[in-house]
Amino acid sequence: MRYTSFFTLAGITGLVLAAPGPSLPKRASSFVWFGANEAGAEFGSGNIPGVLGTDYIWPSTSAIQTLRSAGMNIFRVPFAMERLVPGTLTSSADPTYLASLKSTVNYITSSGGYAVIDPHNFGRYYGNIITSTSDFAAFWTTLASEFASNDKVIFDTNNEFNSEDQTLVLDLNQAAINAIRAAGATSQYIFVEGNSWSGAWTWTTVNDNMKALKDPQDLIIYEMHQYLDSDGSGTSETCVSSTIGQERVVSATQWLKDNGKKAFLGEFAGGPNSVCKSAVTGMLDYLQANNDVWLGASWWSAGPWWGDYMYSFEPPSGTGYTYYMSLLENYFPGSSGPGVTTTAVTPTSTATTKTTTTTTTTTTTTGATTGAAHYAQCGGFNWTGPTTCVSPYTCQKQSDYYSQCL
């Protein structure tokens, strides 16, 4: 999603690449991941550092739990680099902002979900294109070292590089990969993003050099984004046609197959109308039919401050949530239709098979002791759930909006 501040939107003109193929039969989901973006901490880019609760907000853990309970297993968490490392990219992390990021991430991963850590900066820092690979590597050393022991974390190099030198985009991605691995984060996937807003529909004409990226752990996933309005910006609820979703991912799919790569659709959405619903269905069916290269997708976007935004996936009343949930749940990992689940698929790469176990983060009762589980929320603004923790954990304030059992 292209925007510069809370609801300031910008577009770019593009070209539809590829024609639709035949319609695809519905079948049980074979995606590894399916989920939603959780926007809020990156809001208010016009006011940095800004004030929590006024300029930006962290995601609602209760809303995340609603989506998690429904079957989503991956959540992309956007944040502002300037708030995490103020001043320069080589600065130390701001302890308060970092603590809130870690609390959100830990809440997701403690339930068995995957958290995608997303510096939502469009390849820029304080509005200027990032040109120093060493500074970018320093930022990633700071960030990756905080999550090196959590294998449910996924590192997203940067959101939607755009209008930049293509070699620079390649080099920044490689610098991030190198820094993440050198920081000791060797078991996690890394989502790499391309130029031109990482669009799937322009991937082959813009980002072909991205195939040169190297990872000693062989856990690179190419993150692409795709919207279905006329310019692909995701700023209109009108989709070009009922088949535009599939059309816009065909060429990228072939690129992945030709180069032996795997991908994740990190952002997609459609307006609340029948044309867009058909286009979204066609796109997801096509990605699922090509699950040898496409591992899943995440909707843009959930988050507590969207209000009546056309794509809002925030439970219980977001426009996208109420219009699309019954459709999207058919693509959740292990789903064979509403209300039916099968054994979940685990991610694999050409070098490594990652096996995961799922744990739950719910209120637990042991004898006479009742309270929230380890890593669960136990307080914060408007919190109505448990405020004590099971032994030996205590409720610790992370921010005005979030306390956690640690």
Side-chain angles (χ1 to χ4, degrees):
M1 166 62 64
R2 304 172 203 165
Y3 62 94
T4 56
S5 61
F6 191 7
F7 284 127
T8 302
L9 304 174
I12 186 173
T13 301
L15 179 67
V16 176
L17 304 174
S23 60
L24 302 165
K26 291 295 291 181
R27 57 192 177 82
S29 176
S30 52
F31 284 140
V32 173
W33 297 302
F34 204 100
N37 287 263
E38 288 288 343
E42 83 286 18
F43 283 175
S45 61
N47 190 10
I48 296 293
V51 177
L52 177 65
T54 299
D55 301 298
Y56 67 95
I57 191 72
W58 289 97
S60 163
T61 54
S62 61
I64 291 173
Q65 186 57 53
T66 296
L67 300 176
R68 183 81 182 94
S69 297
M72 286 187 170
N73 70 340
I74 191 167
F75 299 89
R76 186 168 175 255
V77 183
F79 66 91
M81 296 170 71
E82 298 86 353
R83 291 185 179 124
L84 185 69
V85 288
T88 69
L89 284 171
T90 59
S91 299
S92 300
D94 176 83
T96 302
Y97 195 78
L98 175 62
S100 293
L101 175 62
K102 292 179 76 171
S103 293
T104 301
V105 168
N106 288 340
Y107 184 88
I108 294 166
T109 62
S110 66
S111 75
Y114 284 82
V116 182
I117 299 176
D118 164 33
H120 209 78
N121 274 64
F122 305 89
R124 287 152 173 80
Y125 183 69
Y126 287 103
N128 300 311
I129 292 174
I130 300 168
T131 57
S132 170
T133 55
S134 61
D135 286 358
F136 195 56
F139 164 81
W140 269 110
T141 298
T142 299
L143 182 56
S145 63
E146 297 289 341
F147 297 96
S149 62
N150 189 340
D151 67 2
K152 293 289 179 59
V153 163
I154 296 171
F155 301 110
D156 182 340
T157 55
N158 215 259
N159 179 70
E160 294 188 350
F161 295 96
N162 67 88
S163 311
E164 298 167 57
D165 176 78
Q166 187 61 31
T167 300
L168 174 63
V169 172
L170 175 70
D171 291 345
L172 289 171
N173 273 285
Q174 189 62 63
I177 294 167
N178 296 345
I180 290 166
R181 298 310 185 207
T186 57
S187 64
Q188 295 91 343
Y189 289 97
I190 298 175
F191 284 4
V192 295
E193 295 201 38
N195 214 348
S196 191
W197 289 271
S198 214
W201 68 333
T202 57
W203 190 270
T204 59
T205 57
V206 175
N207 289 304
D208 184 59
N209 71 339
M210 292 279 286
K211 64 191 177 188
L213 291 172
K214 303 294 184 185
D215 173 23
Q217 304 305 122
D218 197 17
L219 293 172
I220 292 175
I221 306 295
Y222 288 79
E223 182 184 322
M224 303 183 197
H225 299 171
Q226 193 57 64
Y227 294 96
L228 310 178
D229 46 356
S230 61
D231 62 1
S233 64
T235 58
S236 170
E237 66 179 31
T238 301
C239 295
V240 172
S241 72
S242 61
T243 59
I244 193 64
Q246 180 179 328
E247 292 170 24
R248 286 186 173 173
V249 296
V250 168
S251 62
T253 301
Q254 192 59 52
W255 183 90
L256 293 166
K257 291 176 182 287
D258 290 345
N259 292 286
K261 308 299 185 183
K262 297 183 184 296
F264 179 78
L265 196 66
E267 292 184 17
F268 78 98
N273 56 73
S274 60
V275 173
C276 286
K277 180 174 278 190
S278 294
V280 168
T281 302
M283 181 170 68
L284 294 177
D285 283 351
Y286 184 80
L287 297 184
Q288 188 166 252
N290 290 279
N291 61 42
D292 57 323
V293 294
W294 287 103
L295 301 186
S298 60
W299 180 275
W300 180 270
S301 172
W305 275 5
W306 284 122
D308 61 357
Y309 173 53
M310 61 184 172
Y311 298 153
S312 173
F313 217 79
E314 185 75 351
S317 58
T319 301
Y321 177 78
T322 58
Y323 194 84
Y324 277 97
M325 184 58 156
S326 62
L327 168 66
L328 297 190
E329 65 186 1
N330 295 300
Y331 301 94
F332 295 172
S335 173
S336 56
V340 181
T341 58
T342 59
T343 303
V345 181
T346 54
T348 59
S349 75
T350 55
T352 305
T353 299
K354 294 172 72 71
T355 303
T356 63
T357 58
T358 300
T359 59
T360 58
T361 308
T362 57
T363 301
T364 304
T365 303
T366 304
T369 302
T370 301
H374 190 203
Y375 291 129
Q377 185 172 2
C378 55
F381 183 68
N382 283 339
W383 174 248
T384 59
T387 56
T388 59
C389 306
V390 295
S391 180
Y393 307 110
T394 60
C395 188
Q396 300 182 27
K397 181 178 178 180
Q398 304 300 313
S399 68
D400 289 342
Y401 292 83
Y402 188 75
S403 296
Q404 187 177 29
C405 291
L406 297 172

